[in-house]
Amino acid sequence: FLTYAFIRDRLMFTPVVGYSYSYRNPYADGVEATAVGMAKAGGRLTYQFEKVLPYIDLAYNYDTVGQIGGQRNDMLATVGLDFMPTNAFSISLFASNTFFRDKEYCTTFDLNLRYTF
């Protein structure tokens, strides 16, 4: 994936574009080979306070292989918050949801705590 950050004062915009492809051919009988190809285009908008960075992220995803089913595209929206009280400790919290898929929803909540020794 390709990204580049555009920064103006405390506001940062990071567009992203890329492609990933994965192919798996298991050796077990009766298990079919699987291929997944995903093109992505989107961006993240972040505002930097002193130690808190709230952000929103929006990405369009397109399944280039089409093995999964009839609907090949969706949008992924993410709202998050990064908090860095010290140089060694950080907290990251986000929630994301897919949109525009027929009868399929994927909602994710994530909390990461990081301490650097």
Side-chain angles (χ1 to χ4, degrees):
F1 291 95
L2 298 172
T3 63
Y4 183 81
F6 296 94
I7 301 171
R8 181 167 178 127
D9 296 324
R10 294 178 175 255
L11 190 64
M12 180 171 52
F13 176 66
T14 311
V16 61
V17 63
Y19 181 77
S20 65
Y21 179 82
S22 174
Y23 178 79
R24 181 171 182 234
N25 189 6
Y27 295 108
D29 289 336
V31 180
E32 295 183 23
T34 304
V36 177
M38 189 66 67
K40 177 180 180 176
R44 175 180 285 193
L45 188 62
T46 306
Y47 188 83
Q48 181 178 359
F49 293 100
E50 290 300 318
K51 297 181 182 205
V52 178
L53 289 92
Y55 64 88
I56 57 172
D57 191 313
L58 188 63
Y60 172 75
N61 300 305
Y62 182 76
D63 177 11
T64 60
V65 177
Q67 243 185 359
I68 296 173
Q71 188 160 351
R72 298 174 71 162
N73 57 357
D74 68 23
M75 296 288 290
L76 179 66
T78 304
V79 176
L81 183 72
D82 293 333
F83 176 57
M84 293 163 281
T86 66
N87 288 339
F89 183 67
S90 66
I91 301 170
S92 178
L93 172 67
F94 74 84
S96 64
N97 192 53
T98 56
F99 295 94
F100 310 120
R101 281 208 170 264
D102 187 35
K103 299 178 185 175
E104 181 181 333
Y105 305 96
C106 181
T107 303
T108 304
F109 300 96
D110 199 323
L111 172 66
N112 291 309
L113 305 174
R114 180 177 179 178
Y115 185 79
T116 305
F117 297 95

